[in-house]
């Protein structure tokens, strides 16, 4: 299902935009053609591949209707994490369409928000993965992300105090977090906890209209302990694992680095030598295909493009990998007939890999302008980009006043 190469720009007509630009030292030429774009690394002998923007939007919209039905194959497989599927879908489309187009396209932002509230579990105080499911930190984050994206964090139905108590109650004496009352500890949950609390705080600070103020600032998590636990999950190879002593894994590296960025303590846990070691471990994830794997000796997978690029962006080391070769790998994982992106070339696409593939291309700055409302960095102005810490469009993060710490750009030799 890999995408057919776009051989050149010869067949362009009046509808087609053709833009040259320099991207982080790599010359790019972007050609727009019927809802697909060719991204051409000018310094590369590789054949350029099309990015099928319109196909991906229609894939996600069609998939949404399949996921609605729990009797469909896709719906049955993803029933337990539907709320995360909604977050991946909405965020992916939001990178390719304006908020107004997103609303019109889905005709459903109010319906989606209503559905999100059916996933609230008032016994635990968190959101579940689907209506009537038990609350869990993973799904509480997805719920709050959807509300952030749709500008509904001020909704009267949002039980901010109860959600905060749910999160605080999951912190363990060593600073780690469990995902729910069943006791599994994972650095994913540290990220989710810090992120959810940042979103709840932003909702309070924006004085969400009509809601009862419910901040009890005595009611806090222990940030220092949370940071200390994450620091303890750092391994000798420079990476981070799910718990203390667990193997380094790129997904966990993202969670730890992004959690430290939210806590604004990245520089404390990653002074220069540790920053360099982590950069090397992450850069070594790039394999011959141009794709990235999640740990040594494993296969490349499109989703690691996100987990690794975001970590490298936060630590100022994005230039340590070959960006256009990675972009080409992601483009080869597209289904050029029905849309969507798979984990690797010729596999079946799914919404998870579609989101993370698009998000990675966005982080790379390789997504060309999608609509007349957005201008592209290729034309020297801004394109709607994804934030590497919060995994939401940058303008949403700015609107909410979410803060994070990033490290300054750093060269592999330490400069
Ligand atoms: C809001 C972006 C965002 C994230 C929320 C859920 C979460 C927080 C982060 C998940 C981070 C993570 C652990 C990602 C890895 C997912 C993955 C593909 C795991 C596969 O692991 P293996 O062992 O695969 O099956 P490998 O590639 O190691 O063989």
């Amino acid at each position: 299902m890999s995408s057919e190469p776009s051989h050149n720009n010869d067949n362009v007509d009046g509808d087609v935009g053709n833009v040259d630009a320099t991207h982080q030292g790599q010359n790019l030429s972007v050609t727009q053609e019927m809802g697909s774009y060719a991204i051409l690394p000018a310094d590369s002998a590789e054949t350029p591949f099309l990015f099928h923007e319109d196909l991906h939007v229609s894939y996600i919209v069609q998939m949404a209707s399949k996921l609605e039905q729990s009797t469909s194959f896709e719906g049955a497989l993803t029933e337990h994490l539907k709320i995360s599927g909604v977050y991946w879908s909405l965020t992916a489309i939001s990178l390719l369409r304006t908020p107004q187009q997103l609303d019109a396209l889905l005709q459903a932002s109010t319906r989606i928000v209503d559905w999100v509230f059916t996933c609230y579990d008032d016994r635990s105080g968190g959101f579940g993965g689907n209506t009537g499911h038990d609350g869990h930190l993973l799904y509480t984050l997805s719920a709050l992300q959807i509300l952030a994206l749709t500008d509904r964090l001020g909704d009267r139905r949002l039980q901010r105090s109860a959600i905060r108590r749910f999160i605080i109650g999951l912190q363990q004496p060593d600073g780690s977090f469990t995902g729910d009352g069943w006791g599994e500890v994972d650095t994913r949950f540290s990220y989710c906890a810090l992120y959810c609390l940042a979103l709840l705080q932003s909702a309070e600070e924006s004085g969400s209209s009509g809601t009862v103020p419910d901040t009890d600032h005595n009611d806090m998590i222990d940030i220092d302990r949370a940071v200390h636990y994450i620091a303890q999950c750092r391994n000798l190879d420079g990476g981070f694992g799910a718990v203390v002593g667990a193997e380094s894994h790129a997904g966990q590296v993202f969670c730890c680095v992004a959690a430290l960025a939210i806590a604004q303590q990245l520089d404390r846990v990653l002074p220069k030598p540790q920053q360099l070691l982590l950069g090397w471990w992450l850069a070594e994830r790039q394999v011959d295909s141009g794709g990235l794997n999640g740990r040594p000796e494993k296969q490349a997978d499109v989703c690691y493009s996100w987990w690794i690029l975001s970590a490298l962006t936060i630590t100022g080391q994005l230039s340590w990998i070959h960006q256009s070769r990675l972009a080409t790998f992601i483009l080869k994982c597209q289904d050029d007939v029905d849309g969507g992106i798979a984990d690797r070339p010729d596999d079946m696409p799914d919404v998870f890999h579609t989101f993370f593939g698009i998000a990675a291309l966005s982080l790379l700055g390789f997504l060309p302008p999608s609509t007349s409302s957005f201008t592209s960095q290729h034309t020297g102005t801004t394109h709607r980009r994804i934030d590497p810490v919060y995994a939401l469009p940058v303008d949403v993060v700015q609107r909410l006043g979410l803060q994070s710490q990033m490290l300054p750009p750093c060269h592999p030799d330490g400069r």
Side-chain angles (χ1 to χ4, degrees), residues 112-396:
I112 287 173
V113 169
D114 289 345
W115 175 79
V116 165
F117 283 106
T118 71
C119 299
Y120 184 65
D121 169 27
D122 53 14
R123 287 160 310 154
S124 66
F127 285 84
N130 208 329
T131 310
H133 289 205
D134 293 344
H136 193 287
L137 259 180
L138 286 175
Y139 307 123
T140 302
L141 176 58
S142 294
L144 294 179
Q145 286 174 306
I146 296 167
L147 297 178
L149 191 62
T150 52
D151 202 7
R152 309 291 174 89
L153 279 173
D155 194 299
R156 284 172 165 277
R157 292 168 289 182
L158 190 62
Q159 305 285 328
R160 296 193 305 241
S161 290
I163 299 170
R164 195 182 303 101
R165 280 198 299 277
F166 167 67
I167 296 167
I168 292 166
L170 295 174
Q171 190 172 30
Q172 305 303 301
D174 63 0
S176 66
F177 284 85
T178 59
D180 59 13
W182 290 97
E184 184 196 9
V185 167
D186 190 308
T187 45
R188 282 178 304 160
F189 310 145
S190 302
Y191 169 71
C192 293
L194 291 173
Y195 189 166
C196 287
L197 291 173
L199 283 173
L200 292 172
Q201 189 174 338
S202 107
E204 269 151 25
E205 285 173 359
S206 66
S208 314
S209 56
T211 49
V212 182
D214 58 0
T215 312
D216 176 358
H217 287 293
N218 295 321
D219 218 8
M220 302 287 277
I221 59 160
D222 187 330
I223 297 267
D224 286 345
R225 272 181 205 265
V227 167
H228 179 70
Y229 183 79
I230 294 170
Q232 285 196 303
C233 293
R234 208 182 74 81
N235 291 316
L236 282 175
D237 60 14
F240 291 82
V243 291
V244 176
E247 177 189 10
S248 296
H249 191 286
Q252 310 297 151
V253 170
F254 162 78
C255 293
C256 293
V257 165
L260 294 171
I262 295 172
Q264 317 250 3
Q265 303 217 21
L266 203 51
D267 54 346
R268 200 158 72 78
V269 178
L270 287 182
K272 201 60 164 262
Q274 283 75 9
Q275 178 192 7
L276 291 174
L277 196 57
L278 174 60
W280 279 107
W281 189 87
L282 289 168
E284 282 173 357
R285 304 281 57 79
Q286 188 157 35
V287 297
D288 291 350
S289 63
L292 305 174
N293 64 17
R295 44 192 169 139
E297 306 303 326
K298 290 286 196 161
Q299 278 192 290
D301 179 321
V302 157
C303 75
Y304 295 118
S305 314
W306 164 265
W307 306 118
I308 290 174
L309 283 186
S310 50
L312 286 171
T313 306
I314 297 166
T315 57
Q317 295 162 315
L318 185 59
S319 64
W320 290 29
I321 56 149
H322 199 299
Q323 297 174 36
S324 58
R325 292 199 60 215
L326 175 60
T328 302
F329 173 79
I330 298 170
L331 295 176
K332 284 180 184 170
C333 295
Q334 299 176 106
D335 182 329
D336 59 359
V337 177
D338 296 323
I341 301 176
D343 54 354
R344 48 189 76 96
D346 299 323
D347 280 358
M348 282 285 286
D350 58 69
V351 172
F352 175 85
H353 290 94
T354 302
F355 168 53
F356 287 114
I358 291 170
L361 291 171
S362 169
L363 269 188
L364 288 168
F366 279 19
L367 285 186
S370 54
T371 72
S372 55
S373 313
F374 291 137
T375 45
S376 163
Q377 66 165 23
H378 300 293
T379 57
T381 47
T382 52
H383 187 274
R384 199 176 197 198
R385 295 277 291 270
I386 193 156
D387 183 274
V389 174
Y390 292 102
L392 284 173
V394 167
D395 57 291
V396 173

Side-chain angles (χ1 to χ4, degrees), residues 3-60:
S3 175
E4 279 300 306
S6 156
H7 297 291
N8 53 42
N9 303 339
D10 294 346
N11 57 352
V12 296
D13 59 26
D15 295 334
V16 175
N18 215 355
V19 186
D20 291 317
T22 300
H23 170 72
Q24 295 169 359
Q26 302 181 43
N27 291 320
L28 294 178
S29 171
V30 178
T31 303
Q32 180 179 351
E33 187 181 343
M34 305 282 287
S36 297
Y37 302 89
I39 300 171
L40 318 173
D43 61 342
S44 162
E46 288 174 51
T47 315
F49 280 74
L50 291 171
F51 175 64
H52 299 296
E53 174 177 312
D54 285 358
L55 278 182
H56 297 324
V57 171
S58 60
Y59 168 81
I60 293 168

